[in-house]
Amino acid sequence: MDTPSVSWGPRTVEEIFKDYSGRRAGVLRALTHDVDEFYSLCDPAKENLCLFGYPNGTWEVALPAEEVPPELPEPSLGINFARDGMDKKHWMSLVAAHTDSWLLYVAFYYGARVDRNGRKHLFSLINDLPTVFEAVAEWKPIKHTASMHSGSKSRTGTKRPSNGQPKSNLKPYSHSDEEDEDEHGETLCGTCGGNDSVSQFWIGCDGCERWFHGKCVKITPAMAENIKQYKCLPCSTKSSR
C-alpha cells in the first residue's frame, strides 16, 4: 500500500520556511499595522471567524474552509466572539498566541515530508524569529526581583498565596485577602492545575476569582499593569454571549 502524501505546497525546508515567513508577515501586519481594520472586521455578531495569513504577506479575516478535512490546518475559530468582553490589548495578545500555534501547525504539516534533521533545521529557523505574540505584546524578558513584588499598593496590587509566592491581580490589596487565601488552602493555577513555586507571577480573574500563572495565560507583569479588569478566557467568552 502506497504511503499517502500531500501533492501540493512547499517541499524543502527553505520553501517551507519561506511559506511560514510570508504567513507570519501577513498576520503581523494585521495585528500591528492594520490594527483598526482587523479589530473592526472581528465583529462578535458574525459567525466563527479566523485570521488567515498567506504566503505573499497578506492577511484576511474570514470563515473557515467548508471542506472537511480542510486543505490546510485551520487557524483558531471564533476569535471574534471574545473581542468585546476583554481588554483590547489582552484580546489582541491572545489572538497572537493562537496565531503562533497555527503558523507552527502549518509549517510542520508541510514538514511532515521532511526528514528528522530537516525538521530540526526548520524549527531552528523559525525559532530565530520573534513570535507574533512577542511582537504584539512588545514582550521583553522580565527579571523577577524583590522590588517588582514589594507589596506596594499599586493598581494591580500583590497578594501571597499559601505557597509563599507573590501573586498579582487587578483588585485592591488588603490584609483580609491574605486571611482568605489561608482559609482556602493551597492555591492552584486555573489553567495547568499546578502551584509551581518557581512561577513568580500570578494573575487573578475578576469574574470567577480563580488564579492563573502569568505564563499559562500569556500575561507578563508589564502587560498586567495596562489591564483594568482581567477576565480569563471562559469568563470573557461568557460575557460576549
Side-chain angles (χ1 to χ4, degrees), residues 42-76:
C42 292
D43 185 349
K46 296 181 180 179
E47 298 180 49
N48 282 302
L49 294 177
C50 304
L51 172 59
F52 291 89
Y54 298 112
N56 63 358
T58 61
W59 63 274
E60 180 183 22
V61 171
L63 295 171
E66 293 183 359
E67 66 269 18
V68 177
E71 188 176 79
L72 277 179
E74 295 278 42
S76 182

Side-chain angles (χ1 to χ4, degrees), residues 185-199:
E186 189 175 52
T187 304
L188 300 178
C189 174
T191 296
C192 71
N195 64 338
D196 191 4
S197 60
V198 177
S199 297

Side-chain angles (χ1 to χ4, degrees), residues 117-162:
N117 289 332
R119 290 192 299 272
K120 184 177 181 180
H121 180 46
L122 174 60
F123 180 76
S124 178
L125 292 171
I126 292 173
N127 202 40
D128 283 339
L129 296 174
T131 64
V132 176
F133 173 80
E134 288 172 337
V136 171
E138 296 180 348
W139 181 88
K140 295 180 181 179
I142 296 175
K143 295 182 179 179
H144 299 292
T145 61
S147 60
M148 182 181 296
H149 300 291
S150 60
S152 60
K153 297 180 181 179
S154 60
R155 178 170 56 80
T156 53
T158 58
K159 302 202 305 186
R160 288 188 178 273
S162 56

